[in-house]
Amino acid sequence: MFLSGLTTNLGALLSTKVLEKWPVIARHDRAAEWLQIWTDLGRAPRTIDAYARGLAEYLEVCDREAVDPLRANRAHLAKYVRELSTRPSKRGTNVVSLDSGAGLANATLQQRLVPVRLFYDFLMEEGLRESNPVGRGRYTPGNRFGGHQRGLVPRLTKLPWIPSDQQWLDVLTVARDEPVRNRVMLALAYDAALRREELCSLRTDDLDPGRRTLRVRAEATKNRLERVVPYSATTGVLLSGYLAHRATISRARGPLFLSESRRNHAQPLTLWTWSKVVRRLALAADLPRFSTHTTRHLCLTDLARMGWELHAIATFAGHRSTESTMQYIHLSGRDLAEKLQRGMDQIHAWRVEKLAMLGPDLVSAGWK
């Protein structure tokens, strides 16, 4: 039987990292089968963990409510959403922002529902269900309310937060006292608009100091798009100093950023360590909203402000679609500012022209 063989495979691929963390999945054969398929397709471990977490939370609610997930309907999903939107955060006051005021933020709610939706898509493909109770927002011909059917949870689209010039200076002032590794990481994160995983995954052979460029490898990116990006001369000086310092820790080629702690000396720096560094800097600068992704948002917004074309920013950022890039155009206010200026110029010219209606004697009196 397939599921008996599946258990063996899961023991090798998922037990230590997923099934032991989310044992409820092991109690639902179809859920384990679905997760195994995504693992076999080569999805990133973090993606698998996110899928497992979202589905496990849903299955736990089903078990508590005595609902068979294979037969759940939209009403059951609505109860699950209500629980997510009212659930107190385990992190309490350490949470930076909660849109709902009590439970999970809107973006997090959407993330939790993605694996549940995909799970029901799988059940439909297997012929175990005729419909997906999660559904998705879509255009519906004939709908008198604009022809659009709402998804289970309304999607809020917010622009990312970026610091003001003074707030950015406050962060840099605090960072001046940091070790050279942390300073060069902060500089590269901004200069090259790097995501956290891209930054921490850099290797020594990804650098080209002569041309001041670095290669962001496909396997480290969110959408598996490799790119080469430049960094500034200022960052190049910092990087040169760090490379000299790194040689005192390890002369071996490999991961660029190394841990200097006693426990993990000379080991690759982890994502979580970098997150803790940035969090500490943010609190010291009294900017709790500053995160590892803020530098990327700030860089791309600055490029939009400087007049970079949309496709150029998308290439620099490694976006597969320019839809993701458009938020930085909006955030910069570039298009609105240009349109406003053009409009004001036209209005001004029109008003000056009409001043001539005050009388021909204005010209002879020196009015222009």
Side-chain angles (χ1 to χ4, degrees):
M1 185 177 179
F2 171 75
L3 290 177
S4 61
L6 173 65
T7 303
T8 303
N9 292 334
L10 287 172
L13 295 174
L14 298 175
S15 62
T16 57
K17 295 185 178 180
V18 175
L19 293 184
E20 290 181 359
K21 189 175 182 179
W22 312 109
V24 66
I25 293 178
R27 299 197 297 269
H28 293 267
D29 292 339
R30 288 297 183 177
E33 179 183 349
W34 172 78
L35 201 60
Q36 180 64 55
I37 290 174
W38 285 109
T39 303
D40 291 341
L41 289 174
R43 291 298 187 271
R46 291 178 60 198
T47 300
I48 296 298
D49 188 71
Y51 283 178
R53 176 177 182 171
L55 187 58
E57 288 186 343
Y58 171 66
L59 294 177
E60 287 171 354
V61 172
C62 287
D63 287 354
R64 186 170 65 249
E65 300 292 330
V67 174
D68 182 356
L70 271 65
R71 294 176 174 79
N73 56 36
R74 200 168 178 84
H76 298 131
L77 266 297
K79 290 182 179 179
Y80 173 58
V81 170
R82 183 180 64 184
E83 174 172 318
L84 291 179
S85 60
T86 58
R87 177 189 302 172
S89 172
K90 297 179 181 179
R91 294 183 291 173
T93 58
N94 289 329
V95 176
V96 175
S97 174
L98 286 178
D99 296 326
S100 64
L104 300 178
N106 180 267
T108 307
L109 286 174
Q110 301 288 349
Q111 292 172 356
R112 291 289 194 275
L113 287 175
V114 166
V116 181
R117 181 187 297 116
L118 293 176
F119 174 60
Y120 280 112
D121 283 344
F122 162 72
L123 294 180
M124 291 173 62
E125 292 172 357
E126 294 294 305
L128 299 175
R129 286 187 64 97
E130 295 183 356
S131 63
N132 189 325
V134 180
R136 44 177 57 82
R138 60 186 181 275
Y139 177 79
T140 307
N143 188 327
R144 64 189 181 95
F145 296 105
H148 185 271
Q149 180 177 342
R150 289 179 55 178
L152 199 62
V153 176
R155 184 178 295 276
L156 303 180
T157 302
K158 293 187 175 184
L159 292 176
W161 175 84
I162 60 171
S164 66
D165 291 347
Q166 183 56 54
Q167 290 171 329
W168 175 238
L169 289 176
D170 292 341
V171 172
L172 297 182
T173 299
V174 171
R176 283 169 54 185
D177 297 327
E178 288 291 307
V180 64
R181 183 201 68 193
N182 296 348
R183 283 183 281 139
V184 76
M185 289 184 72
L186 184 65
L188 278 176
Y190 170 77
D191 259 4
L194 297 178
R195 302 179 179 94
R196 180 182 62 164
E197 188 164 0
E198 294 171 350
L199 177 66
C200 294
S201 298
L202 286 176
R203 299 178 64 83
T204 53
D205 55 359
D206 292 333
L207 303 175
D208 186 349
R211 294 181 174 82
R212 289 207 309 269
T213 60
L214 57 86
R215 179 172 63 102
V216 184
R217 288 170 289 110
E219 56 269 25
T221 65
K222 182 179 180 180
N223 49 19
R224 300 300 186 260
L225 286 177
E226 186 171 300
R227 66 188 191 277
V228 175
V229 291
Y231 55 85
S232 66
T234 301
T235 299
V237 173
L238 281 172
L239 183 58
S240 177
Y242 171 68
L243 291 175
H245 174 71
R246 183 187 181 280
T248 66
I249 304 172
S250 173
R251 292 186 175 275
R253 300 179 66 85
L256 177 60
F257 298 114
L258 303 178
S259 172
E260 299 181 37
S261 68
R262 292 182 179 180
R263 178 184 299 179
N264 300 311
H265 189 73
Q267 295 300 309
L269 192 75
T270 67
L271 303 176
W272 320 119
T273 299
W274 176 236
S275 293
K276 290 178 181 177
V277 169
V278 173
R279 183 62 176 166
R280 175 166 48 78
L281 293 175
L283 295 178
D286 195 22
L287 292 172
R289 298 181 69 182
F290 193 94
S291 70
T292 56
H293 217 61
T294 301
T295 47
R296 176 175 168 84
H297 291 321
L298 182 59
C299 175
L300 298 179
T301 303
D302 285 345
L303 296 181
R305 287 168 173 165
M306 289 188 292
W308 277 40
E309 294 297 329
L310 180 64
H311 287 281
I313 299 175
T315 301
F316 187 88
H319 289 155
R320 190 177 294 276
S321 169
T322 55
E323 291 183 5
S324 300
T325 315
M326 278 301 300
Q327 64 179 330
Y328 302 104
I329 301 294
H330 297 321
L331 189 60
S332 70
R334 187 186 75 197
D335 285 357
L336 292 179
E338 292 175 352
K339 290 177 181 178
L340 177 62
Q341 185 60 45
R342 289 195 299 269
M344 291 302 293
D345 288 344
Q346 293 172 0
I347 292 173
H348 178 69
W350 178 83
R351 294 193 187 281
V352 170
E353 179 184 352
K354 295 305 178 184
L355 283 177
M357 296 174 62
L358 294 177
D361 57 318
L362 289 177
V363 178
S364 61
W367 286 61
K368 296 181 179 181

